[in-house]
Amino acid sequence: MAHSLIKNSIKSINPKFLSTLSAHRIVRRFGSAAAADEEQSSSFTFSSEGDSIQLKSPSAARRKLSSSVTMPISFMTGSIVGKRFYKEVKTKEADDGNGWTVMLDYRTLKTPAKRPLKLPTVALAKAIAAEWDYQQIDGIRPFTMPLMRLACTALERVPVTRPKIIEHLVKKFNQDLVFCRAPDDNELASLVYERQVDKIDPLLHWLESEFGFKPVVYSSFFGGKQEDGLVMAIEKLLKKTDDCELAAIDAIAASAQSLTIAIALVHGRLQIEEAIELIRLEEDLQVDRWGLVEGGHDIDIADIRVQISSPVVFLGLSRNM
Protein backbone atom coordinates (compact mmCIF):
# COMPACT_ATOMS: atom_id res chain seq x y z
CA MET A 1 0.00 0.00 0.00
CA ALA A 2 2.72 2.47 1.00
CA HIS A 3 4.74 1.62 -2.10
CA SER A 4 1.79 2.18 -4.42
CA LEU A 5 1.05 5.56 -2.84
CA ILE A 6 4.65 6.67 -3.27
CA LYS A 7 4.50 5.49 -6.88
CA ASN A 8 1.33 7.52 -7.49
CA SER A 9 2.94 10.59 -5.89
CA ILE A 10 5.93 10.30 -8.22
CA LYS A 11 3.69 10.06 -11.28
CA SER A 12 1.82 13.23 -10.24
CA ILE A 13 4.96 15.39 -10.09
CA ASN A 14 5.67 17.90 -12.82
CA PRO A 15 9.20 17.01 -14.05
CA LYS A 16 10.09 20.71 -14.12
CA PHE A 17 10.04 20.74 -10.30
CA LEU A 18 13.38 18.94 -10.20
CA SER A 19 15.05 21.61 -12.35
CA THR A 20 13.68 24.50 -10.27
CA LEU A 21 16.10 26.54 -8.21
CA SER A 22 16.46 25.09 -4.72
CA ALA A 23 16.82 27.01 -1.48
CA HIS A 24 20.60 26.79 -1.51
CA ARG A 25 21.34 29.80 -3.71
CA ILE A 26 24.92 30.68 -2.78
CA VAL A 27 26.53 33.60 -4.58
CA ARG A 28 30.33 33.25 -4.77
CA ARG A 29 33.01 33.92 -7.36
CA PHE A 30 34.25 30.77 -9.02
CA GLY A 31 36.60 30.28 -11.93
CA SER A 32 37.08 27.22 -14.10
CA ALA A 33 39.82 26.05 -16.45
CA ALA A 34 39.22 23.39 -19.09
CA ALA A 35 41.28 20.22 -18.93
CA ALA A 36 43.61 18.90 -21.58
CA ASP A 37 42.49 17.35 -24.87
CA GLU A 38 40.52 14.09 -24.43
CA GLU A 39 43.05 12.22 -26.54
CA GLN A 40 45.79 13.17 -24.10
CA SER A 41 43.92 12.42 -20.86
CA SER A 42 41.26 9.96 -19.73
CA SER A 43 40.43 11.48 -16.35
CA PHE A 44 39.82 14.72 -14.53
CA THR A 45 39.96 15.74 -10.89
CA PHE A 46 38.82 18.94 -9.22
CA SER A 47 40.93 20.96 -6.82
CA SER A 48 40.21 24.08 -4.80
CA GLU A 49 42.56 27.05 -4.95
CA GLY A 50 41.46 30.12 -3.07
CA ASP A 51 37.97 31.10 -4.21
CA SER A 52 38.10 29.14 -7.44
CA ILE A 53 37.50 25.56 -8.53
CA GLN A 54 39.89 24.42 -11.22
CA LEU A 55 39.59 21.43 -13.51
CA LYS A 56 42.99 19.81 -14.05
CA SER A 57 44.27 16.94 -16.11
CA PRO A 58 46.30 14.30 -14.25
CA SER A 59 50.03 13.88 -14.67
CA ALA A 60 51.34 11.76 -17.53
CA ALA A 61 52.24 8.94 -15.14
CA ARG A 62 48.62 8.62 -14.01
CA ARG A 63 46.80 9.07 -17.30
CA LYS A 64 46.43 5.38 -17.99
CA LEU A 65 45.36 4.52 -14.44
CA SER A 66 42.20 6.60 -14.13
CA SER A 67 39.08 7.19 -16.15
CA SER A 68 36.85 8.97 -13.69
CA VAL A 69 35.45 12.35 -12.67
CA THR A 70 35.55 13.24 -8.97
CA MET A 71 33.22 15.98 -7.75
CA PRO A 72 34.58 18.48 -5.20
CA ILE A 73 33.16 18.86 -1.71
CA SER A 74 31.77 22.23 -2.82
CA PHE A 75 29.30 20.24 -4.93
CA MET A 76 27.38 19.53 -1.74
CA THR A 77 27.13 23.24 -0.82
CA GLY A 78 25.33 24.41 -3.96
CA SER A 79 28.20 26.40 -5.49
CA ILE A 80 28.80 26.56 -9.26
CA VAL A 81 31.71 24.15 -9.64
CA GLY A 82 32.95 24.80 -13.18
CA LYS A 83 32.06 24.76 -16.84
CA ARG A 84 30.54 21.74 -18.52
CA PHE A 85 33.48 19.68 -19.80
CA TYR A 86 31.61 16.71 -21.27
CA LYS A 87 29.33 16.15 -24.25
CA GLU A 88 27.52 12.87 -23.65
CA VAL A 89 25.94 11.46 -20.49
CA LYS A 90 24.98 7.81 -20.19
CA THR A 91 24.53 5.03 -17.66
CA LYS A 92 26.48 1.82 -17.31
CA GLU A 93 26.22 -1.27 -15.13
CA ALA A 94 28.94 -1.30 -12.47
CA ASP A 95 32.02 -3.36 -13.27
CA ASP A 96 31.23 -5.79 -10.45
CA GLY A 97 27.63 -6.14 -11.62
CA ASN A 98 26.35 -4.65 -8.35
CA GLY A 99 24.56 -1.40 -9.21
CA TRP A 100 24.75 1.26 -11.89
CA THR A 101 27.04 4.20 -12.58
CA VAL A 102 26.85 7.45 -14.55
CA MET A 103 29.33 8.16 -17.35
CA LEU A 104 30.35 11.64 -18.50
CA ASP A 105 31.68 10.81 -21.97
CA TYR A 106 33.93 7.85 -21.10
CA ARG A 107 34.62 8.93 -17.53
CA THR A 108 32.94 7.31 -14.52
CA LEU A 109 31.37 9.81 -12.13
CA LYS A 110 32.65 9.71 -8.54
CA THR A 111 31.36 11.19 -5.30
CA PRO A 112 33.14 14.01 -3.38
CA ALA A 113 34.89 11.29 -1.34
CA LYS A 114 36.30 9.88 -4.60
CA ARG A 115 34.20 6.74 -4.55
CA PRO A 116 32.35 5.52 -7.65
CA LEU A 117 28.78 6.79 -7.72
CA LYS A 118 27.29 3.29 -7.54
CA LEU A 119 23.48 3.48 -7.60
CA PRO A 120 21.06 0.68 -6.65
CA THR A 121 18.79 0.87 -9.72
CA VAL A 122 19.08 1.78 -13.39
CA ALA A 123 16.06 4.08 -12.95
CA LEU A 124 17.88 6.24 -10.40
CA ALA A 125 21.05 6.20 -12.50
CA LYS A 126 19.12 7.45 -15.56
CA ALA A 127 17.44 10.19 -13.53
CA ILE A 128 20.79 11.45 -12.22
CA ALA A 129 22.24 11.19 -15.74
CA ALA A 130 19.38 13.43 -16.90
CA GLU A 131 20.36 16.01 -14.26
CA TRP A 132 23.92 16.04 -15.60
CA ASP A 133 22.69 16.25 -19.17
CA TYR A 134 20.59 19.29 -18.20
CA GLN A 135 23.68 21.30 -17.22
CA GLN A 136 24.60 24.25 -19.42
CA ILE A 137 27.95 25.04 -21.05
CA ASP A 138 28.70 28.03 -18.80
CA GLY A 139 28.57 26.12 -15.50
CA ILE A 140 27.61 23.02 -13.52
CA ARG A 141 24.94 24.04 -11.00
CA PRO A 142 24.44 21.58 -8.13
CA PHE A 143 21.27 23.36 -6.98
CA THR A 144 19.57 21.97 -10.11
CA MET A 145 20.68 18.42 -9.22
CA PRO A 146 18.73 17.37 -6.10
CA LEU A 147 18.84 13.64 -6.89
CA MET A 148 22.64 13.72 -7.23
CA ARG A 149 22.95 15.47 -3.87
CA LEU A 150 20.67 12.93 -2.18
CA ALA A 151 22.60 10.04 -3.72
CA CYS A 152 25.88 11.42 -2.37
CA THR A 153 24.25 11.83 1.04
CA ALA A 154 22.91 8.26 1.07
CA LEU A 155 26.21 6.78 -0.14
CA GLU A 156 28.62 8.79 2.02
CA ARG A 157 27.10 10.79 4.86
CA VAL A 158 24.43 8.43 6.16
CA PRO A 159 26.61 5.31 6.63
CA VAL A 160 29.19 7.32 8.59
CA THR A 161 26.92 9.57 10.66
CA ARG A 162 23.73 7.45 10.99
CA PRO A 163 23.57 7.61 14.85
CA LYS A 164 24.00 11.41 14.81
CA ILE A 165 21.34 11.88 12.13
CA ILE A 166 18.85 9.80 14.11
CA GLU A 167 19.75 11.57 17.36
CA HIS A 168 19.18 14.97 15.71
CA LEU A 169 15.83 13.93 14.21
CA VAL A 170 14.60 12.53 17.53
CA LYS A 171 15.75 15.65 19.38
CA LYS A 172 13.77 17.89 17.02
CA PHE A 173 10.68 15.66 17.18
CA ASN A 174 9.26 17.47 20.23
CA GLN A 175 9.24 20.74 18.27
CA ASP A 176 7.53 19.16 15.25
CA LEU A 177 5.46 21.56 13.14
CA VAL A 178 2.30 19.44 13.38
CA PHE A 179 2.27 19.56 17.20
CA CYS A 180 2.22 23.37 17.33
CA ARG A 181 -1.34 24.69 17.52
CA ALA A 182 -2.30 28.35 17.05
CA PRO A 183 -4.14 30.01 19.95
CA ASP A 184 -7.86 30.55 19.47
CA ASP A 185 -8.00 34.04 20.97
CA ASN A 186 -8.41 36.40 17.99
CA GLU A 187 -9.88 36.42 14.48
CA LEU A 188 -6.69 35.69 12.51
CA ALA A 189 -5.37 33.08 14.97
CA SER A 190 -8.74 31.36 15.09
CA LEU A 191 -8.68 30.93 11.30
CA VAL A 192 -5.29 29.23 11.57
CA TYR A 193 -6.52 27.11 14.47
CA GLU A 194 -9.58 25.93 12.53
CA ARG A 195 -7.49 25.04 9.48
CA GLN A 196 -5.02 23.14 11.66
CA VAL A 197 -7.81 21.11 13.26
CA ASP A 198 -9.25 20.32 9.83
CA LYS A 199 -5.98 19.46 8.05
CA ILE A 200 -3.52 18.32 10.73
CA ASP A 201 -5.69 16.37 13.19
CA PRO A 202 -6.18 13.45 10.74
CA LEU A 203 -2.40 13.10 10.55
CA LEU A 204 -2.15 13.11 14.36
CA HIS A 205 -4.82 10.40 14.52
CA TRP A 206 -2.74 8.33 12.08
CA LEU A 207 0.35 8.86 14.21
CA GLU A 208 -1.51 7.62 17.28
CA SER A 209 -2.90 4.55 15.51
CA GLU A 210 0.49 3.74 13.96
CA PHE A 211 2.59 4.01 17.13
CA GLY A 212 0.07 3.59 19.98
CA PHE A 213 0.60 6.94 21.70
CA LYS A 214 -1.51 10.10 21.47
CA PRO A 215 0.56 13.13 20.37
CA VAL A 216 0.57 16.19 22.60
CA VAL A 217 -0.33 19.51 20.96
CA TYR A 218 0.80 22.85 22.38
CA SER A 219 0.72 26.59 21.69
CA SER A 220 4.19 27.52 22.92
CA PHE A 221 6.86 28.77 20.52
CA PHE A 222 9.36 26.80 22.59
CA GLY A 223 7.68 23.48 21.85
CA GLY A 224 6.37 20.82 24.19
CA LYS A 225 7.27 17.29 25.16
CA GLN A 226 5.88 14.10 23.67
CA GLU A 227 5.45 10.90 25.64
CA ASP A 228 8.63 8.86 25.97
CA GLY A 229 6.86 5.87 24.41
CA LEU A 230 6.09 7.79 21.22
CA VAL A 231 9.63 9.17 21.00
CA MET A 232 11.12 5.70 21.49
CA ALA A 233 8.80 4.24 18.84
CA ILE A 234 9.89 6.88 16.33
CA GLU A 235 13.55 6.27 17.15
CA LYS A 236 13.07 2.52 16.67
CA LEU A 237 11.51 3.12 13.25
CA LEU A 238 14.42 5.35 12.17
CA LYS A 239 16.96 2.74 13.21
CA LYS A 240 15.31 0.21 10.89
CA THR A 241 15.60 2.42 7.80
CA ASP A 242 18.09 1.75 5.02
CA ASP A 243 20.51 4.48 3.94
CA CYS A 244 18.35 5.80 1.08
CA GLU A 245 15.26 5.94 3.27
CA LEU A 246 17.03 7.74 6.11
CA ALA A 247 18.54 10.24 3.66
CA ALA A 248 15.06 10.94 2.26
CA ILE A 249 13.46 11.29 5.71
CA ASP A 250 16.23 13.60 6.92
CA ALA A 251 15.92 15.84 3.84
CA ILE A 252 12.13 16.10 4.08
CA ALA A 253 12.18 16.73 7.84
CA ALA A 254 14.70 19.56 7.42
CA SER A 255 12.57 21.29 4.76
CA ALA A 256 9.21 20.62 6.41
CA GLN A 257 10.34 21.25 10.00
CA SER A 258 8.44 18.06 10.69
CA LEU A 259 9.64 14.50 11.16
CA THR A 260 6.00 13.39 11.28
CA ILE A 261 5.34 14.72 7.77
CA ALA A 262 8.55 13.07 6.54
CA ILE A 263 7.60 9.66 7.93
CA ALA A 264 4.01 9.99 6.67
CA LEU A 265 5.28 10.77 3.16
CA VAL A 266 7.73 7.88 3.08
CA HIS A 267 5.10 5.46 4.43
CA GLY A 268 2.45 6.59 1.96
CA ARG A 269 0.12 8.30 4.46
CA LEU A 270 0.54 11.65 2.70
CA GLN A 271 0.80 12.62 -0.94
CA ILE A 272 3.32 15.30 -1.89
CA GLU A 273 0.71 18.03 -2.44
CA GLU A 274 -0.95 17.19 0.89
CA ALA A 275 2.39 17.49 2.67
CA ILE A 276 3.10 20.86 1.04
CA GLU A 277 -0.34 22.09 2.06
CA LEU A 278 0.39 21.23 5.70
CA ILE A 279 3.83 22.85 5.59
CA ARG A 280 2.46 26.08 4.08
CA LEU A 281 -0.84 26.10 5.96
CA GLU A 282 -0.36 29.35 7.86
CA GLU A 283 1.46 31.15 5.05
CA ASP A 284 -1.21 30.20 2.51
CA LEU A 285 -3.85 31.67 4.81
CA GLN A 286 -1.89 34.93 4.85
CA VAL A 287 -1.67 34.85 1.04
CA ASP A 288 -5.43 34.29 0.80
CA ARG A 289 -6.01 37.25 3.10
CA TRP A 290 -3.43 39.76 1.83
CA GLY A 291 -2.44 38.50 -1.62
CA LEU A 292 0.60 36.82 -3.16
CA VAL A 293 3.91 38.67 -3.44
CA GLU A 294 5.42 37.93 -6.85
CA GLY A 295 9.12 37.12 -6.65
CA GLY A 296 8.63 36.07 -3.06
CA HIS A 297 5.78 33.71 -2.29
CA ASP A 298 5.83 32.09 -5.73
CA ILE A 299 9.56 31.32 -5.46
CA ASP A 300 9.05 29.92 -1.96
CA ILE A 301 6.28 27.66 -3.25
CA ALA A 302 8.43 26.38 -6.13
CA ASP A 303 11.34 25.84 -3.77
CA ILE A 304 9.38 23.79 -1.22
CA ARG A 305 8.02 21.65 -4.05
CA VAL A 306 11.59 20.76 -5.04
CA GLN A 307 12.69 20.15 -1.44
CA ILE A 308 9.76 17.82 -0.70
CA SER A 309 9.35 16.14 -4.11
CA SER A 310 13.02 15.30 -4.65
CA PRO A 311 13.45 12.92 -1.67
CA VAL A 312 10.19 11.12 -2.50
CA VAL A 313 11.25 10.68 -6.13
CA PHE A 314 14.75 9.65 -5.04
CA LEU A 315 13.41 6.99 -2.68
CA GLY A 316 10.96 5.65 -5.24
CA LEU A 317 13.62 5.41 -7.97
CA SER A 318 16.06 3.74 -5.57
CA ARG A 319 13.48 0.97 -5.14
CA ASN A 320 12.45 0.75 -8.82
CA MET A 321 8.92 1.99 -8.11
Side-chain angles (χ1 to χ4, degrees), residues 85-139:
F85 55 89
Y86 53 92
K87 295 180 180 179
E88 183 182 12
V89 185
K90 57 185 179 181
T91 58
K92 175 186 174 184
E93 189 172 7
D95 293 337
D96 60 4
N98 184 25
W100 295 80
T101 61
V102 176
M103 305 290 293
L104 305 182
D105 293 333
Y106 50 86
R107 309 175 186 94
T108 302
L109 185 61
K110 288 188 176 182
T111 67
K114 300 183 179 180
R115 300 170 183 168
L117 186 72
K118 189 180 292 187
L119 303 162
T121 66
V122 65
L124 181 57
K126 287 185 178 296
I128 290 176
E131 288 185 331
W132 282 93
D133 201 32
Y134 171 82
Q135 300 307 304
Q136 304 301 304
I137 297 296
D138 66 330

Side-chain angles (χ1 to χ4, degrees), residues 219-244:
S219 298
S220 171
F221 285 114
F222 301 102
K225 190 178 188 309
Q226 299 300 320
E227 287 191 43
D228 291 341
L230 179 58
V231 175
M232 291 174 64
I234 293 293
E235 184 175 8
K236 183 178 179 181
L237 180 146
L238 293 175
K239 288 180 177 179
K240 291 181 178 179
T241 58
D242 59 36
D243 291 342
C244 288

Side-chain angles (χ1 to χ4, degrees), residues 75-76 111-112 117 146-161 165 243-244 246-248 250-251 314:
F75 181 89
M76 300 299 289
T111 67
L117 186 72
L147 299 180
M148 174 68 182
R149 292 165 63 87
L150 283 162
C152 289
T153 298
L155 290 170
E156 295 188 343
R157 175 173 172 248
V158 174
V160 175
T161 62
I165 294 173
D243 291 342
C244 288
L246 186 56
D250 186 39
F314 168 78

Side-chain angles (χ1 to χ4, degrees), residues 245-262:
E245 189 172 3
L246 186 56
I249 290 174
D250 186 39
I252 296 170
S255 298
Q257 299 299 307
S258 171
L259 178 56
T260 302
I261 289 176

Side-chain angles (χ1 to χ4, degrees), residues 48-70:
S48 299
E49 296 184 3
D51 288 331
S52 66
I53 301 292
Q54 303 219 349
L55 194 62
K56 297 182 178 181
S57 62
S59 64
R62 293 163 53 196
R63 283 175 184 164
K64 295 182 180 181
L65 300 178
S66 175
S67 57
S68 63
V69 179
T70 300

Side-chain angles (χ1 to χ4, degrees), residues 31 35 47 50 66 77 88 100 116 159 190 195 204 223 262 300-301 315:
S47 66
S66 175
T77 69
E88 183 182 12
W100 295 80
S190 64
R195 185 71 65 89
L204 298 183
D300 290 341
I301 293 169
L315 186 58

